[in-house]
Amino acid sequence: MSKTIAVIRGDGIGPEIMDATLRVLDALSVGLEYEFVEAGLVAQEKFGTLLPQSTLDSIARHRIALKSPLTTPVGEGFSSINVELRKRFDLYANVRPAISFPNTRSRFPENVDLVTVRENTEGAYIGEGQAVSEDGATATLTQRITRHGSERIVRYAFDLARRTGRRKVSIVHKANILKSTSGLFLKVAREVAAGYPEIVCNELIVDNCCMQLVMVPEQFDVIVTTNLFGDIISDLCAGLVGGLGLAPGANIGADAAIFEAVHGSAPDIAGKGIANPCALLLGAAQLLDHLNQGDKALLLRTAIRATLEARDRVTPDLGGSGTTSTFADSIISRLFN
């Protein structure tokens, strides 16, 4: 059976890595069809808005989207497109794997295999109640944590561990100082953890967690935390395994899911044909897992690993002289070997 997904080709290097990724997915024969929609600067030029209603309608209709990086103006003006998508579709779970791959610029080329599960819809990161005083001397925002939001993200993390055979969940917080917000999150997390006696659970204050990650990352399996802490920790974890070029992300809710590369649109190399497509390809593997095509997701991840190990036709950021297109060709040649 075929499944249609919304596809956002993105800004900067986005179209290049998306084209490569779709070629690989087609070679896998996973039965996907694509409805191409716009967001970001391309949409701004065409429709006068960064996030057109037609794009929102497509995601709502198909319930799954694959997204390349988008450019959102920094500072004043538009808020984050990603944050807006998460709000619109209640994509409460941000799932970021970090896995060691060979021949990468990593201090940990082996033994790292962890997942950060980040609450995606509340907390300081979404910027509620932002205000600046009239004299410009004071800025404030509101941090809101709810029992509902905490319970469902922690339950998602434990269910993921159970479903994928992972054995440990680390609850990361700052309840020693943020006694109301982090305190509620930790309290609810403990209550949820009690329902999963077969899974080891530990608790870490966020600063200690960061230190432990850069010292002994192999001790971690699944990390669950609040929005702002998860944003920081997930990028730290990407740095452990070679950077954002190898960092996929899934944004999952009850009614929709968006899969993406989490790096930026890299306008400085756009159009040069040298962008590394691995992050989006790994995001596509998460999409296949979500569609219960775990066997095809495994083939894709195995082919990526084999290509990196052989350093065959890979892009310059990985020490090769290949292009985005030749990198995809190399992966395709290994899909069924």
Side-chain angles (χ1 to χ4, degrees), residues 174-246:
K174 191 66 176 176
N176 58 324
I177 303 297
L178 306 177
K179 297 184 186 297
S180 58
T181 51
S182 263
L184 177 60
F185 176 78
L186 179 58
K187 178 182 179 181
V188 173
R190 287 170 174 169
E191 294 170 1
V192 173
Y196 298 81
E198 78 280 16
I199 296 173
V200 174
C201 176
N202 69 329
E203 303 168 6
L204 294 95
I205 296 171
V206 62
D207 37 342
N208 180 41
C209 175
C210 291
M211 182 184 70
Q212 294 294 331
L213 277 166
V214 299
M215 292 177 66
V216 195
E218 58 268 26
Q219 70 181 286
F220 291 92
D221 202 354
V222 176
I223 296 170
V224 62
T225 190
T226 51
N227 202 342
L228 181 59
F229 294 160
D231 179 53
I232 297 165
I233 287 171
S234 56
D235 271 19
L236 187 159
C237 291
L240 298 176
V241 297
L244 294 179
L246 295 163

Side-chain angles (χ1 to χ4, degrees), residues 9 12-21 269-275 277 324:
R9 296 180 75 237
I13 62 170
E16 299 164 63
I17 63 172
M18 181 61 77
D19 290 348
T21 297
I269 61 169
K272 296 182 179 179
I274 57 171
T324 309

Side-chain angles (χ1 to χ4, degrees), residues 30-325:
V30 293
L32 291 179
E33 297 181 0
Y34 314 119
E35 180 177 5
F36 293 95
V37 292
E38 290 89 8
L41 296 183
V42 172
Q44 179 70 37
E45 293 175 4
K46 187 174 181 180
F47 299 104
T49 176
L50 291 168
L51 195 55
Q53 187 60 46
S54 57
T55 297
L56 298 172
D57 291 344
S58 177
I59 296 171
R61 182 165 58 251
H62 301 305
R63 303 181 64 178
I64 294 180
L66 183 64
K67 181 178 76 66
S68 270
L70 300 171
T71 300
T72 303
V74 176
E76 298 179 1
F78 294 102
S79 62
S80 165
I81 301 171
N82 286 337
V83 170
E84 186 63 26
L85 286 169
R86 293 163 188 170
K87 288 180 181 177
R88 293 287 187 103
F89 295 102
D90 195 24
L91 306 176
Y92 68 90
N94 181 258
V95 184
R96 292 271 302 270
I99 303 170
S100 295
F101 285 101
N103 290 326
T104 60
R105 295 173 180 173
S106 168
R107 294 182 182 273
F108 299 95
E110 55 186 19
N111 299 328
V112 176
D113 183 358
L114 62 88
V115 180
T116 301
V117 178
R118 163 193 174 193
E119 203 292 317
N120 226 6
T121 60
E122 59 185 36
Y125 185 90
I126 64 172
E128 284 186 329
Q130 294 193 78
V132 180
S133 63
E134 289 186 6
D135 63 2
T138 304
T140 59
L141 65 77
T142 301
Q143 182 175 183
R144 181 175 59 90
I145 299 292
T146 66
R147 170 172 285 275
H148 170 69
S150 300
E151 181 175 352
R152 67 179 180 175
I153 194 62
V154 176
R155 193 170 302 283
Y156 185 96
F158 276 90
D159 284 343
L160 182 149
R162 177 180 281 172
R163 183 175 68 252
T164 59
R166 293 180 178 269
R167 300 178 180 179
K168 181 181 178 182
V169 174
S170 299
I171 300 166
V172 177
H173 63 91
K174 191 66 176 176
N176 58 324
I177 303 297
L178 306 177
K179 297 184 186 297
S180 58
T181 51
S182 263
L184 177 60
F185 176 78
L186 179 58
K187 178 182 179 181
V188 173
R190 287 170 174 169
E191 294 170 1
V192 173
Y196 298 81
E198 78 280 16
I199 296 173
V200 174
C201 176
N202 69 329
E203 303 168 6
L204 294 95
I205 296 171
V206 62
D207 37 342
N208 180 41
C209 175
C210 291
M211 182 184 70
Q212 294 294 331
L213 277 166
V214 299
M215 292 177 66
V216 195
E218 58 268 26
Q219 70 181 286
F220 291 92
D221 202 354
V222 176
I223 296 170
V224 62
T225 190
T226 51
N227 202 342
L228 181 59
F229 294 160
D231 179 53
I232 297 165
I233 287 171
S234 56
D235 271 19
L236 187 159
C237 291
L240 298 176
V241 297
L244 294 179
L246 295 163
N251 299 278
I252 298 174
D255 299 315
I258 299 176
F259 301 86
E260 62 184 350
V262 301
H263 57 69
S265 57
D268 56 318
I269 61 169
K272 296 182 179 179
I274 57 171
N276 175 0
C278 276
L280 190 59
L281 282 162
L282 291 167
Q286 289 183 285
L287 185 153
L288 294 176
D289 284 330
H290 187 75
L291 292 176
N292 296 316
Q293 294 200 47
D295 55 338
K296 296 295 180 70
L298 179 60
L299 286 175
L300 177 50
R301 293 186 179 106
T302 301
I304 291 170
R305 179 173 294 278
T307 300
L308 291 171
E309 189 167 10
R311 206 171 256 173
D312 177 23
R313 292 170 278 177
V314 301
T315 46
D317 63 302
L318 293 167
S321 57
T323 65
T324 309
S325 182

